[in-house]
Amino acid sequence: MVNKLTSIVIAIVGIAMLYMGSQLLMVGGTPFYVIMALGLLLTAVTLFLNKKIALSIYAVLMWIVLAWMIYEVGFDKWQWIPRGDIIGLIGLWLAMPWVVRPLYKAQQGSQARGFHPFLGTTLILIVALVVGMMFYDPLPKAGDITNERKPVQTELAKNDWSAYGGTTDGLRFSQLNQITKDNVNKLDVAWTYHTGDLRDPAQDASEYTFEATPLKVNGALYLCTPHNEVHALNPETGELKWKYQPAKDPSYLQQHQTCRGVSYYDGSVAQADTTTASPAICRKRIFNATTDARLVALDADTGKLCADFGNGGVVDLRANMGTIRPHALMQTAAPLVAGNLVIVGGSVMDNGYNSGNPSGVIRAYDVMTGRLVWNFDPANPELTQPIAADGTYPQDTPVAWGTLSADLKNGLVYVPFGNASPDELGIERNADSNTEKFRDTLVALDLKTGEFKWRFQSSKHDLWDRDNPSQPSLLDIDYQGQKQPVVILPTKTGNLFVLNRLTGQPVYPINQVDVSTEGGVPGEKFSATQPVSKLNFIPDPLTEKAMWGLTPFDQMACRIDFKSLRYDGNPWTPATEAGSIVFPGNIGVFNWGSVAVDPERQILIASPVRLAYKYNLIKRSPETADKRLFTKDGTPYWNENFQGDYAIHIQQLSSSLGIPCIAPPWGRMVGVDLTTGKTEWLRRVGTTKNLNTTFLPGRFPIGFPMGMVAHGGPLITAGDVVFHGATADNFFRAYDINTGELLWQTELPAGGQATPATYMGSDNKQYVVIAAGGHGSLGTQQGDSVVAYRLK
């Protein structure tokens, strides 16, 4: 009876595999699943007939499958899972005595035995091979960076963390070295603080994220929450000093309910270029740019609004923007404080409407009065004098939603412009317009006047949402023996452009590669080439063999998708109505977390992501101009592109189980020697623990080290330690900067999708602090924690 039931189950599996395998074969995919299905069906028939040869047939099938797995993916254990898990489990069951003994008894009578030599030996050998593979990973690249530490002529983060990236250079590096690679494993929790600012599922946006990097300055720790509260804490104890709580305006339409950081200005230190006298109050100020488009100035000592700034402490960033739809304009990045100016870009709702989107103007305000000092409008780059009170900035221009950087010595500010909405359509664009010239462009401006200095376009005629999302990093490097002042620009495509920051000329070579200009939708135009930097982490092109899953069935579904959708083998595949694969997708290889750079040793640390997405353009007609085509009432409507030619449907290329279709790693960490441009080491980061799964209730309990998506940046210290949270498993980790070796890890109370900071406390102890509140889109555990660590 057991064997009859077993044969029926195997037959069902075989029929299902034959059905899906035939579908795959018909779209030009591998025939192997059909072969595997026939082997299963032959096994099922002979087993049902109680023939001992069924076990030999299955053993042969297992050897064929093993050879096929090695041929397709080598000895990558994670890619063996969908190809061999069901086959292996069936083989293990068939080798059990209660299956083997009845078959021998039926054909040999009393000589029945419970072990089949061929199948049993096959299983033993394969199990031994799998066990051996648990200690082997073909991905990591071992290396050892030996660059000496040399002093540099630039301001670096020392005892404090005074700006979002440590300083206005945006390096995410600290000269503190009390915590080293030799003692970091002795870190312990110093304190935990709960902000109390939690998502309200009934009112708040789904994209609710606690991505803040705290500042430590003025004897306090300052941070903002998703609802733009500002909290000032005692850096040594986490005790609350003061809290600023603005009125809340929750809405599911808020695309990004987040605040990545606040900024600090010390008016008690004389500024050579200040235009206003230092006031008696609010000499030290905390600036916060909010998701409802306000710039708020607070007294750093009391948390009270600075009444002399703007209108009672607030500048309305909606001024001169014309008509703004609800929640279409927002601020998510920390404003840049440089000299006597506080400078902001902005963020707009992606693809909500085809036109009428807020301007991407860059505005610089006097830190004391809130007076507009200059504005740089991509539509009118030569008009930097403040706009007239009754003037309106042209709409539908590129926006810079990331944090800006500034070279204070040379008086330059660096603006990483992204795209203009709509991101994925260019039918109505004017190729000769300033708007087109400034898409996805790094722009250098005069810090005092906003005057244009130079620009570099990182993506041409962007139709994929290739924003420049990261804060640029400024330092001097000795590339190939020649010292040059550089700016490093990470991009969503995976390029790391290394440019002379005074001229914009490439320091690392840049090639213009040919890309497809055919297809897409009627009327669309494409750039014939795209720039690729010598230093890049553009993922290798996808193939059918690169598709993944937990079982053969979801892997076959992914293979069918891959063969059915358009994919040109590069990141610039045109979006189509039938569907295209865009890899990397709009989350990018690099995002707002940027990179970290040790300027004293000229080492760059980055955590590039690998995820593919499906882009579908949905044709609109006059009758459907304002109709939702793929979202429902009560859910966010971005990407509907109302009143446009096409709506834009973007979703991750994943199986019905919610598992990415591309094989892991989805997240990596790399160490680069900037003097040579060589990637010296590479490793996976993150595990499967705490994943929010659709195929199992709750969160996944086991931490398989596959390499997970990371949203947030690294931190480097002069102790040769890299700190990194960000991964989708709630862990905070420390690595050896020289080799990438994991030195320490701890589980956070919630997702750590934030960039950490470090500082020296008044107790002469070095602290490392990270926000742990989760990320709505990644599905990580949400919370409201800020956790600080120091040596035991």
Side-chain angles (χ1 to χ4, degrees):
M1 180 59 70
V2 170
N3 285 355
K4 298 291 186 186
L5 291 174
T6 299
S7 67
I8 293 171
V9 171
I10 294 174
I12 292 171
V13 173
I15 291 169
M17 190 173 291
L18 181 62
Y19 173 73
M20 291 193 69
S22 298
Q23 287 185 311
L24 177 59
L25 188 59
M26 285 189 290
V27 294
T30 178
F32 193 83
Y33 283 103
V34 172
I35 297 171
M36 192 187 301
L38 294 175
L40 286 168
L41 291 173
L42 184 57
T43 300
V45 170
T46 51
L47 183 62
F48 188 85
L49 296 174
N50 219 23
K51 300 294 185 181
K52 186 177 60 173
I53 196 173
L55 304 186
S56 295
I57 292 171
Y58 199 81
V60 170
L61 177 62
M62 291 188 72
W63 282 109
I64 292 173
V65 170
L66 177 63
W68 172 66
M69 290 193 300
I70 295 172
Y71 165 74
E72 279 214 321
V73 297
F75 292 93
D76 185 342
K77 54 182 172 287
W78 305 121
Q79 295 201 60
W80 279 27
I81 290 173
R83 293 166 172 85
D85 52 5
I86 287 180
I87 296 296
L89 289 172
I90 292 174
L92 184 63
W93 178 263
L94 290 177
M96 292 295 104
W98 52 81
V99 174
V100 176
R101 190 171 289 115
L103 296 176
Y104 273 98
K105 187 174 182 180
Q107 297 182 25
Q108 296 177 245
S110 60
Q111 296 181 357
R113 56 182 177 176
F115 180 79
H116 188 273
F118 188 16
L119 180 59
T121 302
T122 296
L123 269 171
I124 291 170
L125 291 174
I126 291 177
V127 168
L129 178 60
V130 170
V131 170
M133 287 172 58
M134 298 304 294
F135 302 95
Y136 169 73
D137 188 347
L139 176 82
K141 174 184 177 182
D144 189 4
I145 305 177
T146 59
N147 299 5
E148 295 182 6
R149 187 171 298 282
K150 299 177 182 178
V152 296
Q153 299 299 315
T154 187
E155 180 188 359
L156 299 176
K158 297 181 177 67
N159 291 337
D160 284 349
W161 193 264
S162 60
Y164 174 72
T167 67
T168 60
D169 288 338
L171 296 175
R172 279 156 286 280
F173 169 79
S174 169
Q175 285 189 309
L176 292 176
N177 60 5
Q178 188 179 93
I179 299 170
T180 70
K181 60 187 181 67
D182 297 318
N183 64 17
V184 68
N185 61 346
K186 296 181 173 62
L187 281 181
D188 201 4
V189 174
W191 52 260
T192 299
Y193 173 75
H194 294 282
T195 67
D197 188 10
L198 293 164
R199 178 175 181 262
D200 182 346
Q203 299 185 74
D204 283 318
S206 57
E207 177 80 355
Y208 188 91
T209 60
F210 192 16
E211 298 173 346
T213 297
L215 301 187
K216 190 274 182 176
V217 68
N218 189 39
L221 199 71
Y222 301 98
L223 60 102
C224 56
T225 72
H227 282 118
N228 292 114
E229 297 179 5
V230 179
H231 296 229
L233 310 179
N234 181 304
E236 294 77 40
T237 66
E239 181 183 1
L240 179 67
K241 288 190 169 187
W242 56 257
K243 178 166 60 175
Y244 168 75
Q245 289 180 288
K248 294 181 181 180
D249 182 23
S251 171
Y252 73 91
L253 286 177
Q254 190 72 54
Q255 186 170 359
H256 304 287
Q257 188 67 56
T258 192
C259 177
R260 297 192 183 100
V262 296
S263 299
Y264 175 74
Y265 174 78
D266 188 351
S268 65
V269 178
Q271 299 286 336
D273 55 355
T274 189
T275 58
T276 55
S278 178
I281 60 170
C282 269
R283 291 186 177 183
K284 301 175 181 179
R285 302 185 174 205
I286 293 294
F287 290 96
N288 186 27
T290 69
T291 53
D292 59 355
R294 295 176 301 124
L295 180 61
V296 179
L298 304 172
D299 188 308
D301 293 322
T302 66
K304 295 180 179 179
L305 288 164
C306 296
D308 56 351
F309 181 84
N311 183 10
V314 177
V315 167
D316 186 356
L317 297 176
R318 296 169 297 182
N320 306 108
M321 287 290 194
T323 301
I324 301 176
R325 299 183 181 97
H327 308 291
L329 179 65
M330 66 203 89
Q331 296 282 336
T332 57
L336 173 70
V337 170
N340 68 319
L341 300 175
V342 53
I343 308 170
V344 295
S347 182
V348 301
M349 183 181 291
D350 285 336
N351 307 312
Y353 283 81
N354 187 61
S355 60
N357 300 293
S359 166
V361 62
I362 307 299
R363 289 172 284 184
Y365 298 92
D366 185 285
V367 289
M368 290 299 178
T369 66
R371 175 182 60 87
L372 183 63
V373 176
W374 57 257
N375 39 226
F376 180 84
D377 175 8
N380 299 294
E382 70 285 353
L383 303 179
T384 59
Q385 291 296 316
I387 194 170
D390 59 350
T392 302
Y393 298 111
Q395 295 181 320
D396 302 311
T397 56
V399 297
W401 55 264
T403 297
L404 316 185
S405 301
D407 181 341
L408 300 179
K409 177 182 177 182
N410 292 296
L412 294 172
V413 58
Y414 299 90
V415 181
F417 277 110
N419 207 337
S421 187
D423 301 288
E424 289 84 8
L425 283 171
I427 297 171
E428 299 178 15
R429 296 181 192 173
N430 179 355
D432 297 322
S433 68
N434 284 325
T435 294
E436 187 70 5
K437 293 175 182 177
F438 282 99
R439 289 180 192 270
D440 297 351
T441 300
L442 178 65
V443 177
L445 306 176
D446 184 280
L447 176 59
K448 292 183 179 180
T449 66
E451 177 188 357
F452 172 78
K453 293 297 184 181
W454 58 258
R455 66 183 178 90
F456 172 80
Q457 193 163 42
S458 62
S459 183
K460 299 178 182 179
H461 193 64
D462 178 11
L463 301 171
W464 306 272
D465 191 8
R466 301 296 193 202
D467 293 340
N468 292 317
S470 303
Q471 182 182 27
S473 300
L474 316 179
L475 74 155
D476 295 346
I477 65 171
D478 298 292
Y479 179 58
Q480 296 184 340
Q482 182 179 359
K483 183 174 287 293
Q484 292 204 51
V486 302
V487 53
I488 300 176
L489 178 69
T491 71
K492 285 187 177 182
T493 309
N495 281 306
L496 287 165
F497 292 107
V498 183
L499 311 171
N500 184 300
R501 69 175 183 268
L502 304 183
T503 67
Q505 294 301 305
V507 174
Y508 283 21
I510 298 172
N511 294 321
Q512 298 294 329
V513 300
D514 294 332
V515 297
S516 175
T517 59
E518 303 297 327
V521 293
E524 191 61 275
K525 301 178 181 65
F526 303 93
S527 172
T529 62
Q530 292 290 346
V532 173
S533 172
K534 178 184 177 182
L535 179 58
N536 74 79
F537 295 94
I538 299 173
D540 292 336
L542 294 176
T543 63
E544 184 195 333
K545 293 187 290 187
M547 295 300 102
W548 200 69
L550 288 183
T551 70
F553 300 105
D554 55 322
Q555 193 208 35
M556 279 189 284
C558 288
R559 286 179 181 248
I560 291 168
D561 259 356
F562 177 80
K563 299 299 290 189
S564 303
L565 298 167
R566 175 168 178 175
Y567 177 61
D568 291 355
N570 62 54
W572 302 282
T573 300
T576 61
E577 289 186 75
S580 300
I581 295 175
V582 177
F583 178 60
N586 62 338
I587 192 176
V589 174
F590 299 109
N591 209 284
W592 56 266
S594 195
V595 298
V597 183
D598 182 338
E600 297 178 330
R601 295 187 63 198
Q602 298 185 40
I603 299 172
L604 178 145
I605 302 297
S607 50
V609 169
R610 295 175 66 254
L611 281 180
Y613 283 74
K614 290 193 289 188
Y615 284 35
N616 289 83
L617 299 182
I618 306 173
K619 179 66 177 174
R620 285 194 175 277
S621 65
E623 293 75 25
T624 62
D626 293 300
K627 181 181 178 182
R628 288 182 181 235
L629 296 183
F630 63 88
T631 60
K632 299 178 180 178
D633 290 340
T635 61
Y637 58 64
W638 52 84
N639 292 335
E640 285 283 1
N641 197 31
F642 296 122
Q643 301 169 11
D645 297 291
Y646 293 87
I648 303 149
H649 190 206
I650 300 175
Q651 57 184 330
Q652 188 184 135
L653 182 64
S654 59
S655 72
S656 57
L657 298 178
I659 303 296
C661 276
I662 67 170
W666 306 299
R668 301 161 291 168
M669 181 174 284
V670 295
V672 178
D673 180 354
L674 289 174
T675 66
T676 64
K678 182 181 177 183
T679 300
E680 295 290 349
W681 56 259
L682 178 150
R683 63 169 293 122
R684 300 176 193 259
V685 290
T687 72
T688 57
K689 190 174 183 185
N690 298 316
L691 286 185
N692 190 7
T693 58
T694 57
F695 57 92
L696 287 174
R699 295 187 176 272
F700 198 71
I702 304 172
F704 294 119
M706 291 182 175
M708 307 308 294
V709 174
H711 228 33
L715 159 71
I716 300 174
T717 72
D720 291 330
V721 179
V722 178
F723 289 98
H724 188 242
T727 50
D729 58 5
N730 299 358
F731 276 81
F732 188 33
R733 297 179 172 92
Y735 302 90
D736 184 336
I737 193 174
N738 299 314
T739 64
E741 177 190 358
L742 178 64
L743 302 173
W744 170 83
Q745 62 180 346
T746 185
E747 192 167 353
L748 295 165
Q753 281 68 59
T755 303
T758 187
Y759 58 88
M760 185 67 76
S762 60
D763 53 3
N764 292 319
K765 294 183 182 294
Q766 182 182 352
Y767 291 76
V768 181
V769 61
I770 188 169
H775 192 289
S777 292
L778 288 185
T780 52
Q781 180 68 48
Q782 295 205 314
D784 66 342
S785 300
V786 182
V787 188
Y789 298 87
R790 66 185 174 206
L791 295 174
K792 296 178 182 178

